[in-house]
Amino acid sequence: MKTIAMDAMGGDNAPQAIVEGVNQALAEFSDIKIKLYGHEEKIKQYLKANERVSIVHTDVKINSDDEPVKSIRKKKEASMVLGAQAVKDGKADAVISAGNTGALLAAGLFVVGRIKGIDRPALLSTLPTIDGRNFVMLDLGANAENTAHHLHQYAILGSFYSEAVQGVAKPRVGLLNNGTESSKGDPLRKEVYELLSQEPAVNFIGNIEARELLNGVADVVVTDGFTGNAVLKTIEGTGLSIFSALKSAIKDGGTKAKLGAFFLKDSLYGLRDLMDYSSAGGAVLIGLQAPVVKCHGSSDAKSVYYTIKQVRTMLENQVVDKIVDEFSKKNH
């Protein structure tokens, strides 16, 4: 039985969305326990009674505009910090929050702690592809700057995650670059290319371009945090803009457009569902001694449920243990 610590007060829709997601997960999975950290009375309004859930009361929370490191150090009783501390103390196996991203990264780093041999943990997310297989990408903004050594480590971390959580045998690892030729890129990318070409722990397929990401060109995409964050937001923004433009075109296109939309309704909903990656779970701060996972700030109950499911799979398949083993070998 694994225990997951949940920050019940983080995110735009807390505590309702968090608690309703927990209710769904407890009903679905009989092998997990949940510890909810937050305001007891507010949580109880939405919580369905279950012997596998408990509440640790606190009315302190980290706000979205709090300075990350300072808030972790000063607000020791905040719901997010208490959840991370429970992992550190062995009272929980993982922590999930939809709160302040920077604060959760700081809590992961300073409270939960890095795996020995990992220089800098990365933020990893699962993104959609047209064929529905999805891919994982890292770093998505845990670090603004990275060295070639960091990206080399990310390729190994992403590979382990893809195999253990998504069930991909020998995941194809691609390096995001401004061209596919091995000679392309700045000095950082060229150095990473050399390192990955000689790395036996990954199935490196070479450089890949951003325009091919959603076509499933790779199972694991490696990049620096600044580029990764910009690409992620571009994908999100483009998707939202296309659907918004499509809605406007149907609305303003008269009877013919509305009739066409009526006949295409199922296909359009199918496309929307294909591009909706909330069912893939949250963003994982990978490289830490336990799973630390960030739900989107606007997560609803469905997203929270899928994030718990994702963490359960990580724990079940011992992703962290496998990473620890790999990096302890590399340090000998």
Side-chain angles (χ1 to χ4, degrees):
M1 187 81 70
K2 296 294 185 184
T3 302
I4 299 169
M6 298 284 307
D7 168 14
M9 307 312 287
D12 304 340
N13 305 314
Q16 185 174 353
I18 310 295
V19 178
E20 287 175 355
V22 165
N23 290 337
Q24 287 180 36
L26 288 170
E28 180 82 17
F29 309 117
S30 58
D31 56 354
I32 59 167
K33 286 182 181 176
I34 305 276
K35 275 182 187 284
L36 284 161
Y37 292 82
H39 197 289
E40 188 166 8
E41 286 309 309
K42 290 178 182 175
I43 290 168
K44 276 184 172 174
Q45 291 176 53
Y46 308 105
L47 188 63
K48 288 181 183 172
N50 190 306
E51 71 277 3
R52 289 181 287 114
V53 65
S54 57
I55 301 169
V56 178
H57 174 75
T58 178
D59 51 13
V60 184
K61 62 174 277 196
I62 290 174
N63 300 311
S64 58
D65 57 352
D66 281 350
E67 200 283 312
V69 177
K70 205 178 283 180
S71 61
I72 290 297
R73 291 190 171 139
K74 287 191 169 176
K75 293 185 171 180
K76 300 282 188 193
E77 295 301 307
S79 50
M80 182 193 290
V81 181
L82 290 176
Q85 191 62 48
V87 174
K88 169 87 170 169
D89 296 342
K91 293 174 183 170
D93 301 291
V95 60
I96 297 171
S97 175
N100 182 317
T101 304
L104 187 64
L105 297 181
L109 211 49
F110 300 125
V111 182
V112 177
R114 282 182 296 128
I115 289 170
K116 193 177 177 187
I118 303 275
D119 292 345
R120 284 194 193 174
L123 206 53
L124 171 152
S125 246
T126 303
L127 297 169
T129 55
I130 299 302
D131 62 7
R133 283 180 55 178
N134 300 341
F135 68 97
V136 299
M137 185 166 165
L138 68 171
D139 180 22
L140 294 177
N143 310 280
E145 294 178 26
N146 290 108
T147 66
H149 184 59
H150 297 153
L151 268 63
H152 176 209
Q153 290 191 337
Y154 296 165
I156 298 166
L157 293 172
S159 211
F160 272 105
Y161 182 90
S162 179
E163 203 162 334
V165 179
Q166 298 197 298
V168 180
K170 290 190 73 183
R172 299 161 299 149
V173 177
L175 175 64
L176 190 63
N177 210 332
N178 63 344
T180 56
E181 301 89 343
S182 59
S183 58
K184 283 280 186 174
D186 56 6
L188 171 68
R189 248 80 17 189
K190 287 176 182 174
E191 191 181 343
V192 177
Y193 189 98
E194 285 303 313
L195 289 170
L196 294 183
S197 298
Q198 296 160 34
E199 176 51 69
V202 301
N203 174 22
F204 182 52
I205 60 166
N207 290 324
I208 56 171
E209 291 184 298
R211 66 180 178 181
E212 295 298 331
L213 291 178
L214 302 189
N215 293 329
V217 66
D219 302 304
V220 178
V221 176
V222 175
T223 188
D224 63 281
F226 183 88
T227 306
N229 192 270
V231 169
L232 174 69
K233 284 173 179 165
T234 303
I235 291 171
E236 285 179 340
T238 304
L240 290 170
S241 298
I242 288 170
F243 278 106
S244 177
L246 196 56
K247 265 186 183 175
S248 297
I250 292 165
K251 191 178 163 189
D252 303 336
T255 309
K256 197 188 283 186
K258 289 183 176 69
L259 197 61
F262 175 77
F263 288 113
L264 283 169
K265 189 169 70 174
D266 290 346
S267 300
L268 292 172
Y269 280 137
L271 178 62
R272 186 194 65 185
D273 292 344
L274 180 70
M275 300 311 288
D276 173 21
Y277 57 94
S278 63
S279 60
V284 180
L285 188 57
I286 196 161
L288 298 177
Q289 291 179 22
V292 173
V293 182
K294 170 72 173 70
C295 288
H296 203 284
S298 59
S299 288
D300 56 11
K302 174 189 163 193
S303 300
V304 173
Y305 159 78
Y306 277 115
T307 304
I308 295 169
K309 182 182 180 185
Q310 168 196 18
V311 169
R312 176 181 171 269
T313 305
M314 286 184 74
L315 294 169
E316 195 175 47
N317 294 334
Q318 301 177 315
V319 179
V320 172
D321 294 342
K322 287 171 182 171
I323 292 168
V324 169
D325 288 348
E326 178 63 29
F327 280 89
S328 62
K329 278 186 233 158
K330 288 189 177 297
N331 290 326
H332 281 316

